Amino acid sequence: MNDVLALLRNHRSFRKYKKGVTIPEEKLDAIIRAAQSAPSWINGQHYSIIAIKDQERKNKMAELCGNQPYIAECSVFLCFVADFYRVKVASEMHGKSFEIAGEEDLLMVAATDIGLSMQNALTAAESLEYGTICIGGLRRNITDTSAFLGLPEFVMPVVGLCIGVPDVEAPVKPRLPKEAVYFEETYQTDVMPLLEAYDKEIIPFSEREGFVSYTERLAKFYDKPYYPNLTEEIKERGFLGGK
């Protein structure tokens, strides 16, 4: 196994960071440039990254994301936002109408570009011996978060990334069996035995969730809408048929 593969397989989520530690600008620059090197649909790079460093603003962001303290504790919080504002500007520059504004596929394009870019940023940060954790709570309150970040139309917060120096150690959690997620030629639906085996393996690593199994946690999480106003807020940003 080479160093890159070892780094990827050693990924852990850190939820506690040493306070008051600043990431040197040259290292943050390296992380952002690595994020920008990710592939994207038509090289459109349909995302932007907003760094939150100021302590008071990190505190507010932690509140907007559902009172997640690690956002306030980390050195820098990167907000990855779906960005079609540049497409709007480009359309105006060349006398085009941006006809597909509001189509559902825009959200999938942006989400894919963001996922690839953020993974690059995460891997780059971990290669520099920082800890990270991804924050889906950036979508918890899109309207207020968009106002806080000063986002124009056709730009929407999607996911955040905490980066900092870990203050505690964290274990590498076992993943699903390869056979449950990797198939050849066609999808395989006979995964229940694999899920049952994984349930037993993951429970010792699920103290934060109350020592519940993987399947029970997923079933409870998706039993009801977790962000009830999400669809309408997304439309307000110009996605999913909005604007």
Side-chain angles (χ1 to χ4, degrees):
M1 187 184 300
N2 63 37
D3 291 345
V4 175
L5 292 175
L7 177 68
L8 292 170
R9 293 184 63 171
N10 193 49
H11 168 70
R12 294 154 294 160
S13 293
F14 289 93
R15 291 181 169 81
K16 192 169 181 60
Y17 299 92
K18 292 182 179 179
K19 298 178 182 179
V21 178
T22 301
I23 294 179
E25 282 302 314
E26 63 271 18
K27 291 188 176 182
L28 180 57
D29 180 72
I31 292 168
I32 299 303
R33 292 184 185 277
Q36 286 191 270
S37 297
S40 66
W41 173 257
I42 66 166
N43 194 32
Q45 304 162 71
H46 302 97
Y47 63 88
S48 289
I49 306 168
I50 302 172
I52 307 296
K53 303 178 184 178
D54 178 79
Q55 189 59 57
E56 289 188 6
R57 287 181 60 79
K58 284 191 294 183
N59 293 344
K60 179 61 177 178
M61 184 58 72
E63 178 185 331
L64 288 170
C65 291
N67 298 311
Q68 302 192 52
Y70 15 96
I71 297 175
E73 293 175 356
C74 71
S75 299
V76 60
F77 183 60
L78 300 182
C79 303
F80 286 76
V81 300
D83 192 341
F84 283 89
Y85 179 76
R86 287 192 293 267
V87 176
K88 175 178 178 290
V89 173
S91 298
E92 292 171 350
M93 289 171 62
H94 295 278
K96 301 297 182 180
S97 60
F98 192 18
E99 281 292 332
I100 69 166
E103 289 194 7
E104 291 83 351
D105 193 51
L106 294 187
L107 195 57
M108 296 183 68
V109 166
T112 301
D113 280 9
I114 285 172
L116 292 166
S117 176
M118 191 179 70
Q119 179 61 57
N120 268 24
L122 184 154
T123 302
E126 292 184 354
S127 77
L128 296 171
E129 300 185 344
Y130 292 113
T132 64
I133 185 172
C134 304
I135 305 293
L138 200 65
R139 302 186 304 279
R140 180 179 292 272
N141 192 336
I142 286 177
T143 300
D144 289 348
T145 299
S146 296
F148 182 73
L149 296 174
L151 303 184
E153 61 179 342
F154 303 120
V155 182
M156 186 187 80
V158 175
V159 67
L161 181 66
C162 293
I163 304 175
V165 177
D167 199 25
V168 294
E169 189 52 78
V172 177
K173 291 184 178 180
R175 294 313 200 238
L176 284 162
K178 175 186 170 184
E179 295 79 9
V181 300
Y182 173 75
F183 315 119
E184 295 189 356
E185 311 305 340
T186 60
Y187 190 93
Q188 303 298 308
T189 58
D190 186 23
V191 296
M192 187 177 294
L194 296 170
L195 294 179
E196 290 173 340
Y198 183 63
D199 275 346
K200 296 176 182 177
E201 185 181 11
I202 196 66
I203 284 178
F205 296 86
S206 62
E207 178 179 4
R208 180 172 170 270
E209 294 84 10
F211 292 109
V212 299
S213 70
Y214 170 81
T215 55
E216 182 181 356
R217 182 168 62 85
L218 261 61
K220 287 181 177 178
F221 188 85
Y222 291 110
D223 186 49
K224 56 184 180 299
Y226 45 96
Y227 299 149
N229 302 319
L230 186 62
T231 300
E232 291 306 314
E233 290 189 298
I234 289 175
K235 288 182 179 179
E236 284 297 313
R237 305 307 303 170
F239 298 84
L240 296 182
K243 295 287 182 187

